Amino acid sequence: MNRSYPNTRLRRTRAKAWSRAMVRETILTPSDLIWPLFVTEGTGVEDPVASLPGVSRWSVDGVAARAKEAAALGIPCIALFPNTPAAKRSDDGGEALNPDNLMCRAIKAVKDACGEDIGVLTDVALDPYTTHGQDGLVNGAGYVVNDDTVAVLVDQALNQAEAGADIIAPSDMMDGRVHAIRMALEMGGHHNVQIMAYAAKYASAFYGPFRDAVGSGGLLKGDKKTYQMDPANGDEALAEVALDIAEGADSVMVKPGLAYLDIIWRVKQRFEVPVYAYQVSGEYALIEAGAAAGIGDREALLMEKLIAFKRAGCSGVLTYHAPLAARLLGA
Ligand code: PBG
């Protein structure tokens, strides 16, 4: 196509709002949103997360109320993360396997409150349950061991599925865990429980506020670079995604979001699976800090970033701003 001025004036279709609406290539709807929620012990508790202005940890009853709110806003799925009390944390994260742990009680409360009106996604990794804040079992040298960790993650996933989780989301980055979890779910009769693999999860500086929120930040010694990916790598992300799909993932995630749009794009071009981005805690906090510092309108900053994920090929986005975005889209 050989276009030239003035036959082509690209400003013509931009001149009026109705026309811009007609030629818009990418649309964001509330059904593109997944809302991550932090759960804490107690009843009637709302405990604000200092590093995430506007985000709180909710007790189980509050989480059920938030889930109802989400469903009413047209948000199809929530993601749950527990803030496990220090007394229930251990070196091996055994609380993750307790059928009556905070996560399982929250799953049940949401299911009781909302039935099939909303999906519940649950994170599989040991960091909310360990005293060292690592996602798996640590050996004497401080190394997170792979295969023994996978065995525990399988039991954690089954525990969540038995409590009623709809989507199991392994965020631990151990090798082989998707296959092991898929087999266990099949054998346990959970054929329709999905797996959304955190397939390309990077060792990122943007997770800080999340670690505060689940109470693992102050505990973490060292970093997670022996299992989470090097931000310098792109081909390796495709290898991670290929393996997770082969192992039984129904959908894959790229995390964090905005700094990895090229990865989202490459994954979407290469594979026929739904791709999700996790706009992580540090990304949320940056929008809030930016707005507070007067660099731009908070809602405009948010919506521009969210549409970028759709344009790059995402089927949806995990974002702490989900209820705000859904409200803006519904208006
Ligand atoms: C746990 C997990 C993390 C996040 C989601 N699941 C933290 C980490 O890997 O240290 C981060 C989410 C966020 O920053 O919003 N494995």
Side-chain angles (χ1 to χ4, degrees), residues 198-234:
Y198 285 73
K201 175 171 177 178
Y202 288 87
S204 171
F206 288 91
Y207 304 151
F210 172 95
R211 292 176 188 168
D212 289 345
V214 299
S216 66
L219 304 173
L220 184 64
K221 292 173 201 76
D223 56 42
K224 301 190 178 184
K225 290 180 182 171
T226 70
Y227 46 106
Q228 298 179 351
M229 283 184 58
D230 182 343
N233 293 355

Side-chain angles (χ1 to χ4, degrees), residues 109-132:
V110 171
K111 287 284 140 191
D112 284 348
C114 301
E116 299 297 324
D117 290 346
I118 201 153
V120 177
L121 179 152
T122 56
D123 202 79
V124 168
L126 297 181
D127 53 322
Y129 310 92
T130 55
T131 38
H132 44 68

Side-chain angles (χ1 to χ4, degrees), residues 326-331:
R327 268 187 205 99
L328 294 171
L329 291 167

Side-chain angles (χ1 to χ4, degrees), residues 9 12 54 61 138 140 178 266:
R9 287 180 186 264
R12 274 186 208 121
D61 54 318
V138 176
V178 172
R266 290 175 72 185

Side-chain angles (χ1 to χ4, degrees), residues 37-227:
L37 289 164
F38 298 109
V39 197
T40 194
E41 288 288 356
T43 308
V45 178
E46 177 182 357
D47 182 17
V49 182
S51 52
L52 289 172
V55 173
S56 295
R57 306 173 190 94
W58 300 90
S59 50
V60 165
D61 54 318
V63 168
R66 297 290 75 70
K68 280 187 130 170
E69 181 188 340
L73 287 166
I75 296 170
C77 187
I78 57 167
L80 297 177
F81 298 94
N83 181 300
T84 307
K88 292 190 174 165
R89 289 175 187 252
S90 57
D91 275 359
D92 65 3
E95 177 66 5
L97 311 186
N98 174 2
D100 198 37
N101 68 18
L102 199 48
M103 176 67 109
C104 292
R105 280 181 278 132
I107 298 167
K108 287 179 190 149
V110 171
K111 287 284 140 191
D112 284 348
C114 301
E116 299 297 324
D117 290 346
I118 201 153
V120 177
L121 179 152
T122 56
D123 202 79
V124 168
L126 297 181
D127 53 322
Y129 310 92
T130 55
T131 38
H132 44 68
Q134 295 286 358
D135 292 20
L137 304 175
V138 176
N139 70 13
Y143 183 76
V144 175
V145 293
N146 194 87
D147 298 7
D148 290 346
T149 295
V150 169
V152 182
L153 298 176
V154 165
D155 290 341
Q156 181 184 19
L158 280 176
N159 192 32
Q160 295 172 352
E162 265 141 38
D166 299 296
I167 307 179
I168 301 292
S171 74
D172 52 280
M173 291 298 281
M174 297 301 114
D175 288 325
R177 88 283 204 217
V178 172
H179 171 75
I181 291 171
R182 185 72 265 163
M183 288 301 106
L185 289 173
E186 289 292 318
M187 282 174 3
H190 302 291
H191 306 140
N192 283 337
V193 171
Q194 301 179 29
I195 296 178
M196 182 189 292
Y198 285 73
K201 175 171 177 178
Y202 288 87
S204 171
F206 288 91
Y207 304 151
F210 172 95
R211 292 176 188 168
D212 289 345
V214 299
S216 66
L219 304 173
L220 184 64
K221 292 173 201 76
D223 56 42
K224 301 190 178 184
K225 290 180 182 171
T226 70
Y227 46 106

Side-chain angles (χ1 to χ4, degrees), residues 276-322:
Y276 294 83
Y278 199 142
Q279 185 185 48
V280 299
S281 56
E283 297 181 74
Y284 173 96
L286 277 179
I287 294 175
E288 291 296 319
I295 69 118
D297 176 66
R298 175 171 174 254
E299 295 172 359
L301 293 171
L302 169 64
M303 296 316 257
E304 186 174 331
K305 290 187 181 199
L306 292 181
I307 203 71
F309 293 121
K310 289 294 301 279
R311 198 187 61 239
C314 279
S315 293
V317 187
L318 290 90
T319 173
Y320 302 95
H321 274 126

